[in-house]
Amino acid sequence: MVSRVIPVDPFDLVIFGGTGDLAQRKILPGLFRRFVAGQMPAESRVIGAARTELDSAGYREMVVEAIREFGGDFTYTDKQLKDFLGRIEYTPIDALGDAGWADLQELMKGKGRTEAYYFSVSPALFGELAERLQQWGMADRDARIVVEKPFGRDLESAHALNATLATYFNEDQIYRIDHYLGKETVQNLMAVRFGNMLFEPLWNAQFIDHIQITVAETVGVGGRGEYYDKAGAMRDMVQNHLMQLLCLIAMEPPARFAPDAVRDEKLKVIRALDPVLPHHIVRGQYLAETGNEEKMPSYREAVGAPRSRTESFVALKTHISNWRWAGTPFYLRTGKRLSARSSEITVVFKETPHSIFGEDAGRHRNVLSIRLQPNEGITLGVTIKEPGPGGMRLIDVPLDMSFAEALGQDAEQVDAYERLIMDVMRGNQTLFMRGDEVEAAWAWTDPIIQGWEARNDVPKPYDSGSAGPDYANELMRRDGREWREVTP
Ligand code: NAP
């Protein structure tokens, strides 16, 4: 099945940090794919902006490299690449000084296209960029800014950043990225919940035993050690990505699929979250990988801090105090150097109240698992009779829908970033975090982190390639439950 591509209006996108890692790995290849797909109109322009002294020709070479290295497996013609490069420009600029701003202002003058400015730079520069855009007359009412994560490191800093951005831009001009929201399956989560009659009547504490959200990575901190050691898994993953998934799975049906209708409901979920009790949370830190010829460093070696107390793993239990969810625990888990790369939401329904098939048949429950990566798809475990003449024995089998298989190759191709950038151009903020949502998420996260700091909490070590510290399993076992296995 080939998806229908509706072109957006012609735009000018300035990428501050256009020479950086994110621009090269995601933003530029993503834009090229949208160009080839016919969604980025040929009159549009992409303008790289960073301190490196380059001319547009030099930048185009960098763009070609980025497409070759990170563009993924898709076909395009030489002409398409040439045409795309014809839409690329570069202007050197310093976010912290006046250098280059007059040139950018000149480039952006009166073209009458959608104007967007992507802040793909260190968060320390977000406020500076907003201020300079205003000073140089580029923060007019139609301009949009795209702000990368992390958005603050606690409630106070997020509040201050929101206040700074609000000085120069209205909330409807600010697009705070959480790329998890751009994933196909995450949107499908809403389609499944609110587009089917089947699930919503059962979507509450009466029928759902518990919900698990796991975001497992096999990679370690890599080159991000310096940043990561100041952040940790709680700030880097839970406060944003896992929180957003929790909101979508738990929110009330919005009246419309419209930005504020959806975000109002998400905010209510965050505000209804119970504080996390100290014995309902486990922090971990990965150990060096042994066994392989090439030894992978431990977390502490990777960040170069032999006594670091930063967590590379978190597992926690929380509750949502409202009518729908009172009594249903939500278990969240994320970590680095785990056994497989896998992001999954698992909805475990309650057991049937009574088994008509007798004790031998066992007790069964339906499990809906929504897989975000890899192999995006949805599986519903249903109980059937075991085939054969062995009597009325029951087994659980998956009703499986792999999106790649069901929808064809085209469904796999749209990366979260390219979808989100197109949403910016459409002016659709549904999949972007609103300022009050981000602050509410920090308000819930802050006391957890402050508690660790006050107690000088030391994360539990765990083996690389495992499912995290055994304490995380204990968290479940105490409740008579178990985590879904982390599988690729
Ligand atoms: P990066 O590789 O360090 O790139 C930073 C960019 O900022 C470079 O293009 C750099 O170019 C430019 N820059 C630095 N100082 C500047 C200044 N004073 N004025 C103008 N430009 C300046 O960082 P990144 O990994 O691309 O990350 C960018 C943002 O995305 C960060 O907020 C990060 O947290 C976020 N993010 C990144 C990823 C990822 O996968 N990389 C994922 C999620 C979020 P010059 O040195 O040429 O100025």
Side-chain angles (χ1 to χ4, degrees), residues 16-23 25 49-52 90 93-96 119-123 125-126 148-150 179 417:
F16 293 113
T19 56
D21 179 67
L22 184 69
R25 279 195 312 112
R51 289 168 309 177
T52 305
Y90 181 82
I93 209 159
D94 186 356
L96 296 173
F119 294 6
S120 181
V121 292
S122 155
L125 301 179
F126 292 167
E148 260 300 333
K149 80 162 215 187
H179 71 271
Y417 277 93

